Amino acid sequence: MSKDTLSGPVKYKAEDSAVVLVQDKKILLYGNTQTEYNDVSLAAPQVVVDQQSNIMTATADRDSMGNLLTRARFEQGENRFQSDTIQFNFKTQRGLTRNTFTQQGEMFVQGDKIKKADSSTIFVSSGRLTTCSFDEPHFAFRTNRLKVINNKIAVTGPTHPEFEGVPLPIYLPFGFFPLSQGRHSGMLPPQIATNEAFGLGLEGVGYYKVLNEYLDMRLQGNIYSYGTWSATLTPTYRKRYRYNGALNLQFQRTKQAFKDDPDFSLTKTFMIGWTHSVDQRARPGTTFSANVNAGSTRHNQLQPNDTRRIFGNKLNSSIAYSKTWQGKPYNLTLSANHNQDNQTRLMQITLPTAGFTLNTIYPFQRKTIVGAKRWYENLGVGYNGNFGNQLSFYDTARFRLGDLLDTMQWGAQHRFPITMSLPPVGPLIFSPSISYQQVWLQNKFIRSWNPNLKRLDTAISRGFFVDQEVTFGMSASTNVFGTLRFQRSRVAAIRHVVRPQVSFNYRPDMSSKYYYTTQLDTTGENFGRFSSLSGNLFSPFSEGQFGGISFGVDNNLEMKWRSKNDTGANAIRKIRLIDGFGFNSGYNFLADTMKLQNFNLYLRSTLFEKINITASALLSPYQTNRFGRPINKYAWSDGFRLGTLQYGSLAISTQFQSKKKDDKKGTQTDEDNPVLRNGRQITDPMLLNDQAMLMDYMRRNPAEFVDFNIPWQLSLSFSAGFNRRPMADYSGFENEFNANLSVNGSFNLTPKWNFSVNNVYYDFKTTQLQTFTMSISRDMHCWQMAINLTPVGPWRSFSFTINPKAALLQDLRVNRTRTFQSY
């Protein structure tokens, strides 16, 4: 082989012409040429291949006025260039280009001259670095010398930024741009914020450390000029196909006002978070998960710029383990739970809670079934058992370990369901059932009237108490259909489906020994009926025997709509009018008084496939005395009256959205598929914790994630309800009403300007806006601008942010934030 022989053939083609100069050993290609050599691909209007020097020269195409028409395009591995002139040596794999554009990850590099040293390194003379994809970028970093190593790093000499081609009087001695993908340790830049209560501060300053491929750690903090500071440590761990999780440890020292000020306060709070999940493929049949969110009850109230946390009065935690034995009908669950109310400052910890379930088994079923099943083979038996412990305390109380143990409650619950399915009798389906339940409880509560203090006193006695219940039942159900058809109307038909259910039940009275009657006030006429076991970890059973029927009716309505524009099968469209509405109740033949039970009413519908409606209510069919307690007299005995509503609720929600301007583009702010700021969806399972953090950032900064592809969108949610509850002294009942309206929406003022309102929450009870956030966003191609304003609420704020869209320069931002405290 000759020493100058290439390592592979050179393939070339041209649409216009190819000229071979034999004596000069040159090949001239004209018109949309394509040249390939190993992993090198070149497309250009004109190409000259010199076989003696192994140099290929490609030039761009220009019109008669000298304007550029088509550039030469060069590709080798991850290197991609667009240039006016390209010279490449097949032998040495080196090249020289002029007026070149190339992309390295999210970074675009422009240079008057670019020298390709090897397959991964280039040197640039008179270059510009930018994340803007335009030929004339909106901004860039100008430098005379630049070295780029593919997907690793870009290093410059003295550099300065420029905007719209105008240089800024800011010079840096060198530039360092990391281009490699994946995780890297480094400093986390802060943001400057102004808080009326805390002063001038730096938020988010910290350090990110990659310990190994399975573990990393983030330490961030906020510090303010008045003395408030906070620190957050977030270690995350992950092992592909095994498990992943994260810890979140927060400590905050909040100082409000100064020592001589009467409003001075110094508060130290903390918060602990832990999430853990196991891949089901790691250990089939075994699951372990954790979602812990606990801490000081005042911690969320002292968080600026996060109304979602400020108004979150409930914190919940759960750690759960479950085991299912393959081929066995039973499973085990172990869990620890935590609940706290930040308003009342009450904490409840349930540790541990154990549950054992035996799925329905058929003990009389043959191992090999030949022919039809015998009736007794459908007899099924199951078991459900739960055991728990609970501690309750206030975080403001100071107590010893013994005092804490005094608050402990334990209990257990057992249930043995026995069911049988019988063959249908015509349109009727019969299902007999037997159920035995038992609860083990720790405390007995006796409430008695104290004539001296004129109040109810409660005496608690500890022990082991057992309450039980047995029920026998036989249920029957069927479906009834009715259709009303129209001939000369766009309404083709209306269909009504009725599903009546009737069950015959018997339950003996096994709990009467735990019920008693006591005086409630000084009148001597108001008495209440209580269970001495109410207030335990598990609820006791109701008193009295039941022998009667339980009945209910479920309905739904559908309509067929005839279109004017379509014909044939497409002309008829089915519309759901009411998804379900009905009631259920019961009648106890064995009761001495008030045999008819309360009516549960419900309705659910999706009107026009847009408006979701749900409603429910509890109706008592009896009259009440002057204390509001039911008496043995029907409500309609003295005239037309249905009864007394005990509680009711109504919820209506809808969402409207315009068509996308470009159907090929996805939705940028989809809650179920969150994306990065550069528009790419997060799919890597090793980034689940980062995805959760991104979702939290998106909720707090919606203006930075506006989807300009949707001209407008609006979502409304209305809920109202009331509850008739006994007064604290049991002297009567009071009605508690609540209603609220929630609004979120946005619309494009122009193709590049967007106005939105978020977290608008209006409370009709207080007739006040509880939360309200408005924002204005500007799409500036490679940059984005966002203005957020929260004018109401305990924390009012204003922020202005302008930053590049590219994740590479996401910390290169101008931010101005001010927060005001209104309580």
Side-chain angles (χ1 to χ4, degrees):
M1 298 286 291
S2 174
K3 293 183 179 180
D4 59 352
T5 301
L6 300 178
S7 60
V10 178
K11 301 177 182 179
Y12 57 88
K13 63 180 180 180
E15 288 188 357
D16 190 338
S17 59
V19 179
V20 180
L21 304 178
V22 179
Q23 292 183 352
D24 296 335
K25 293 184 179 181
K26 292 183 179 180
I27 302 174
L28 309 182
L29 305 176
Y30 298 95
N32 195 15
T33 69
Q34 187 72 33
T35 307
E36 296 182 0
Y37 169 72
N38 292 341
D39 61 341
V40 176
S41 177
L42 178 67
Q46 301 177 15
V47 173
V48 176
V49 180
D50 192 332
Q51 294 179 317
Q52 288 183 334
S53 61
N54 294 323
I55 294 177
M56 175 180 59
T57 303
T59 56
D61 188 18
R62 298 180 181 273
D63 59 15
S64 59
M65 301 295 294
N67 297 320
L68 185 66
L69 298 177
T70 306
R71 286 193 176 96
R73 300 174 181 270
F74 176 90
E75 293 185 12
Q76 183 182 22
E78 297 178 350
N79 286 323
R80 289 174 174 81
F81 300 98
Q82 296 184 36
S83 307
D84 290 356
T85 303
I86 298 177
Q87 288 183 309
F88 179 74
N89 191 310
F90 291 112
K91 193 70 176 178
T92 63
Q93 298 288 297
R94 295 183 177 181
L96 185 65
T97 65
R98 296 181 182 275
N99 194 15
T100 302
F101 295 81
T102 183
Q103 184 176 0
Q104 299 288 329
E106 294 181 300
M107 184 71 71
F108 294 92
V109 180
Q110 302 180 16
D112 293 343
K113 291 183 179 181
I114 292 183
K115 178 181 179 182
K116 184 178 178 299
D118 52 42
S119 59
S120 62
T121 306
I122 62 174
F123 294 90
V124 182
S125 174
S126 299
R128 290 189 296 182
L129 287 89
T130 181
T131 57
C132 183
S133 59
F134 283 0
D135 290 348
E136 296 295 332
H138 293 98
F139 80 101
F141 294 93
R142 174 79 70 172
T143 181
N144 290 328
R145 293 181 297 174
L146 169 65
K147 179 181 179 179
V148 179
I149 301 177
N150 284 349
N151 294 325
K152 288 188 177 181
I153 193 174
V155 181
T156 73
T159 182
H160 67 273
E162 64 178 20
F163 285 87
E164 297 290 352
V166 178
L168 298 182
I170 301 175
Y171 285 86
L172 304 175
F174 63 90
F176 182 88
F177 300 88
L179 303 176
S180 57
Q181 305 297 319
R183 302 175 299 155
H184 300 278
S185 301
M187 296 294 297
L188 299 174
Q191 295 184 17
I192 299 176
T194 303
N195 190 294
E196 186 181 40
F198 303 154
L200 183 66
L202 295 177
E203 297 180 347
V205 61
Y207 189 79
Y208 175 75
K209 176 64 177 178
V210 178
L211 300 176
N212 54 49
E213 60 178 324
Y214 306 112
L215 180 65
D216 57 33
M217 188 176 297
R218 178 186 288 108
L219 177 62
Q220 283 184 285
N222 303 330
I223 184 169
Y224 300 91
S225 58
Y226 291 173
T228 296
W229 60 269
S230 64
T232 302
L233 179 65
T234 309
T236 61
Y237 56 91
R238 61 192 67 83
K239 191 170 184 180
R240 191 182 293 272
Y241 308 124
R242 296 296 299 275
Y243 54 80
N244 67 79
L247 285 171
N248 188 277
L249 309 176
Q250 300 181 25
F251 180 82
Q252 181 165 302
R253 181 182 182 272
T254 305
K255 182 180 178 182
Q256 294 178 301
F258 299 95
K259 287 188 176 181
D260 297 333
D261 196 306
D263 296 330
F264 172 79
S265 65
L266 180 63
T267 308
K268 297 180 181 180
T269 60
F270 70 94
M271 185 66 64
I272 300 175
W274 178 36
T275 59
H276 180 88
S277 61
V278 177
D279 196 316
Q280 295 182 354
R281 294 167 292 185
R283 302 183 66 182
T286 302
T287 63
F288 178 78
S289 63
N291 188 1
V292 176
N293 189 18
S296 304
T297 53
R298 293 201 60 197
H299 185 83
N300 284 349
Q301 299 175 6
L302 300 173
Q303 299 297 311
N305 307 327
D306 195 345
T307 56
R308 185 178 60 88
R309 294 183 62 180
I310 293 174
F311 285 93
N313 289 325
K314 303 292 184 180
L315 293 179
N316 304 283
S317 304
S318 175
I319 302 175
Y321 168 85
S322 66
K323 172 67 175 179
T324 301
W325 285 266
Q326 188 174 5
K328 304 296 182 180
Y330 44 80
N331 61 77
L332 172 69
T333 60
L334 299 173
S335 65
N337 300 283
H338 149 267
N339 298 280
Q340 73 181 65
D341 190 320
N342 293 340
Q343 188 171 7
T344 63
R345 310 188 76 170
L346 175 64
M347 292 190 176
Q348 294 180 333
I349 299 176
T350 305
L351 177 71
T353 297
F356 183 81
T357 302
L358 175 64
N359 298 329
T360 303
I361 60 175
Y362 301 91
F364 302 108
Q365 193 174 89
R366 292 165 291 172
K367 292 183 178 180
T368 303
I369 300 177
V370 180
K373 286 185 178 181
R374 299 181 178 92
W375 65 271
Y376 56 81
E377 291 184 308
N378 292 323
L379 180 66
V381 180
Y383 169 76
N384 294 305
N386 293 283
F387 174 83
N389 288 285
Q390 180 176 284
L391 296 172
S392 301
F393 58 92
Y394 291 92
D395 72 337
T396 55
R398 295 183 179 181
F399 42 74
R400 298 168 301 174
L401 179 61
D403 298 331
L404 180 62
L405 294 178
D406 287 340
T407 68
M408 177 182 289
Q409 292 190 68
W410 59 264
Q413 184 179 47
H414 311 276
R415 183 172 181 267
F416 299 87
I418 302 174
T419 60
M420 177 180 288
S421 59
L422 298 178
V425 180
L428 296 176
I429 299 177
F430 292 93
S431 302
S433 63
I434 302 175
S435 177
Y436 174 73
Q437 300 184 70
Q438 191 179 84
V439 291
W440 299 348
L441 305 174
Q442 176 192 16
N443 298 322
K444 181 182 286 188
F445 301 86
I446 303 298
R447 302 166 182 84
S448 59
W449 177 254
N450 189 329
N452 297 324
L453 300 178
K454 296 181 180 181
R455 68 180 188 187
L456 277 178
D457 289 340
T458 302
I460 303 175
S461 59
R462 295 183 180 272
F464 179 76
F465 307 98
V466 179
D467 196 9
Q468 52 193 345
E469 179 186 69
V470 177
T471 58
F472 305 88
M474 170 71 77
S475 63
S477 61
T478 187
N479 293 338
V480 180
F481 303 89
T483 303
L484 180 62
R485 302 184 183 277
F486 302 90
Q487 298 296 330
R488 299 180 180 180
S489 174
R490 295 186 64 186
V491 180
I494 295 179
R495 187 188 189 194
H496 183 198
V497 181
V498 183
R499 302 180 183 87
Q501 294 180 348
V502 179
S503 63
F504 301 88
N505 304 291
Y506 172 71
R507 186 197 68 205
D509 187 4
M510 305 179 70
S511 303
S512 58
K513 61 182 179 181
Y514 294 116
Y515 281 81
Y516 62 94
T517 302
T518 188
Q519 182 180 338
L520 298 179
D521 56 24
T522 56
T523 63
E525 300 178 4
N526 189 14
F527 292 87
R529 189 75 173 165
F530 298 94
S531 170
S532 60
L533 299 181
S534 62
N536 279 282
L537 186 59
F538 293 97
S539 299
F541 301 110
S542 58
E543 67 172 332
Q545 61 178 346
F546 183 89
I549 61 173
S550 298
F551 53 89
V553 178
D554 183 52
N555 306 262
N556 75 309
L557 284 177
E558 294 180 346
M559 179 179 67
K560 289 187 176 180
W561 181 262
R562 185 179 289 109
S563 175
K564 290 183 177 181
N565 302 324
D566 297 329
T567 58
N570 297 327
I572 303 298
R573 187 163 62 97
K574 184 184 292 186
I575 299 176
R576 294 180 299 175
L577 298 178
I578 302 179
D579 297 332
F581 68 97
F583 69 92
N584 56 73
S585 181
Y587 191 88
N588 186 3
F589 293 101
L590 302 181
D592 296 333
T593 59
M594 293 186 286
K595 298 183 178 182
L596 184 61
Q597 296 184 331
N598 293 338
F599 286 81
N600 290 289
L601 313 175
Y602 63 89
L603 179 144
R604 60 184 185 275
S605 178
T606 306
L607 295 179
F608 313 109
E609 299 181 355
K610 274 293 184 184
I611 304 176
N612 300 312
I613 302 175
T614 58
S616 63
L618 179 65
L619 177 68
S620 173
Y622 297 100
Q623 297 182 16
T624 58
N625 58 18
R626 62 190 184 94
F627 300 108
R629 303 186 182 278
I631 59 177
N632 189 28
K633 190 175 183 180
Y634 289 122
W636 50 83
S637 299
D638 300 331
F640 180 76
R641 186 183 175 191
L642 295 178
T644 304
L645 285 176
Q646 302 296 318
Y647 76 84
S649 64
L650 173 66
I652 304 174
S653 63
T654 185
Q655 182 175 0
F656 301 96
Q657 179 177 297
S658 65
K659 294 182 178 180
K660 299 179 181 179
K661 294 189 293 185
D662 186 355
D663 293 334
K664 296 181 180 180
K665 294 182 179 180
T667 303
Q668 186 176 350
T669 56
D670 190 348
E671 289 281 331
D672 297 325
N673 297 291
V675 295
L676 295 173
R677 296 185 194 178
N678 57 2
R680 295 179 301 178
Q681 182 179 346
I682 298 177
T683 58
D684 190 346
M686 300 184 68
L687 299 177
L688 294 177
N689 183 66
D690 294 336
Q691 178 176 331
M693 294 180 62
L694 172 64
M695 288 301 303
D696 183 69
Y697 184 86
M698 291 173 64
R699 283 189 288 264
R700 289 186 286 112
N701 302 274
E704 297 184 25
F705 299 89
V706 172
D707 189 357
F708 287 89
N709 194 35
I710 300 178
W712 63 269
Q713 56 184 344
L714 175 67
S715 62
L716 303 171
S717 177
F718 172 80
S719 64
F722 76 93
N723 184 28
R724 188 171 178 267
R725 62 181 184 181
M727 295 181 180
D729 57 357
Y730 299 100
S731 60
F733 289 81
E734 59 182 357
N735 292 326
E736 181 183 16
F737 296 89
N738 59 78
N740 58 78
L741 175 67
S742 178
V743 181
N744 290 275
S746 67
F747 65 93
N748 293 347
L749 299 170
T750 68
K752 299 295 183 180
W753 282 94
N754 178 274
F755 176 81
S756 63
V757 291
N758 302 279
N759 304 319
V760 180
Y761 185 88
Y762 181 80
D763 191 338
F764 289 92
K765 185 176 181 179
T766 60
T767 64
Q768 289 182 350
L769 275 174
Q770 299 296 328
T771 61
F772 174 73
T773 302
M774 59 182 295
S775 57
I776 299 177
S777 304
R778 174 69 163 94
D779 182 9
M780 299 184 292
H781 184 248
C782 52
W783 285 66
Q784 61 186 7
M785 183 187 70
I787 301 175
N788 289 281
L789 176 64
T790 303
V792 299
W795 291 99
R796 293 167 289 117
S797 63
F798 168 83
S799 66
F800 170 83
T801 304
I802 181 171
N803 62 280
K805 291 182 179 179
L808 179 66
L809 300 177
Q810 61 182 341
D811 295 320
L812 180 64
R813 60 169 55 200
V814 177
N815 177 269
R816 174 64 169 168
T817 301
R818 295 200 66 182
T819 304
F820 306 90
Q821 186 177 355
S822 60
Y823 72 90

